[in-house]
Amino acid sequence: VFSAQVPALGCAVYRLLEQAPAPIPSVPPPFTPLPADGPGFQLRNTHVLAEIDPLSGRLIRLTDLHPGFCALQGPMEARVWIDQRDTWGHDQDTLHQDTGESFQLESIEWIENGPMRQTIRVRSRHGSSRLEQRFSLHSDEAFITLEQALFWDKPWHQLRVTLPLPFVQPHT
C-alpha cells in the first residue's frame, strides 16, 4: 500500500521494478503500526481513534481527536428485525419488530497494520447468516471506512446496523 499522487481529472502511472531495495528515507511514518499484542483492537492516527471490543466485535468508541468529540453513545450493533412487507408494497402499515437478536462474534483479527493503513476484520454469525466487517483507517484521513459483506438467510427479516449517536432530537 502506498500513497499515490494523481492530478485532478488525470492519471498517473506507477511501475513495479524488480531490483534491490532502496534505503528507506528517515522521514517518520504518518502513524506507527500498533503491535499485534498491543492495546486490543484500536485504529488510531492523528485525527481519529476507533476501538473495537475484542469480546463482541462491536465498534465501541469513535473519537475525533482534535476537539475530543466521542461520536458514539454506545456500541455499534447488527440487530435482526422482523419485516413482513413484500416487494409490491403490501403491509406498509405493519411495524417492524425487533427480535432482540444480534450477530455473535466468530473471529476478529488484524489484516493490515502498516504505516499507511490499518484494517481490522470482524466475522459474525446469526444462525446460518454471516456478516463480515472490515474497519480501515488510512494514515492521513479523518474518518474510518467500513466495508460489510453479508450472507443473509432469514426470510421475512431484515438486518439493521445501529450506531447510537449522542445527538438530541432537534427542535424546530
Side-chain angles (χ1 to χ4, degrees), residues 3-95:
S3 180
Q5 302 298 319
V6 180
L9 299 175
C11 68
V13 176
Y14 293 91
R15 291 187 172 87
L16 298 176
L17 303 174
E18 196 172 326
Q19 61 185 22
I24 298 174
S26 62
V27 177
F31 60 62
T32 306
L34 297 169
D37 59 348
F41 293 95
Q42 289 185 356
L43 303 171
R44 184 184 190 125
N45 63 13
T46 57
H47 307 286
V48 177
L49 168 65
E51 184 176 356
I52 299 170
D53 181 15
L55 300 176
S56 67
R58 297 177 182 150
L59 181 65
I60 55 173
R61 184 165 52 159
L62 181 59
T63 305
D64 185 348
L65 296 175
H66 291 305
F69 174 71
C70 185
L72 289 179
Q73 195 169 15
M76 183 177 103
E77 189 173 7
R79 302 283 299 255
V80 179
W81 288 63
I82 295 173
D83 181 8
Q84 305 232 333
R85 299 174 302 156
D86 62 19
T87 306
W88 298 276
H90 298 113
D91 292 329
Q92 290 298 318
D93 57 344
T94 304
L95 296 177

Side-chain angles (χ1 to χ4, degrees), residues 116-133:
M116 297 301 293
R117 181 172 59 197
Q118 300 172 332
T119 303
I120 297 171
R121 178 173 49 208
V122 177
R123 289 184 171 150
S124 306
R125 178 178 290 274
H126 180 270
S128 59
S129 297
R130 296 183 307 273
L131 175 65
E132 179 177 301
Q133 299 172 308

Side-chain angles (χ1 to χ4, degrees), residues 136-169:
S136 296
L137 177 64
H138 289 259
S139 61
D140 58 347
E141 292 179 343
F143 58 89
I144 64 168
T145 302
L146 172 59
E147 297 176 41
Q148 300 187 94
L150 175 67
F151 171 75
W152 190 245
D153 193 25
K154 299 248 335 158
W156 299 106
H157 287 75
Q158 65 176 301
L159 173 67
R160 288 188 183 181
V161 177
T162 60
L163 286 165
L165 304 175
F167 302 118
V168 178
Q169 182 73 18

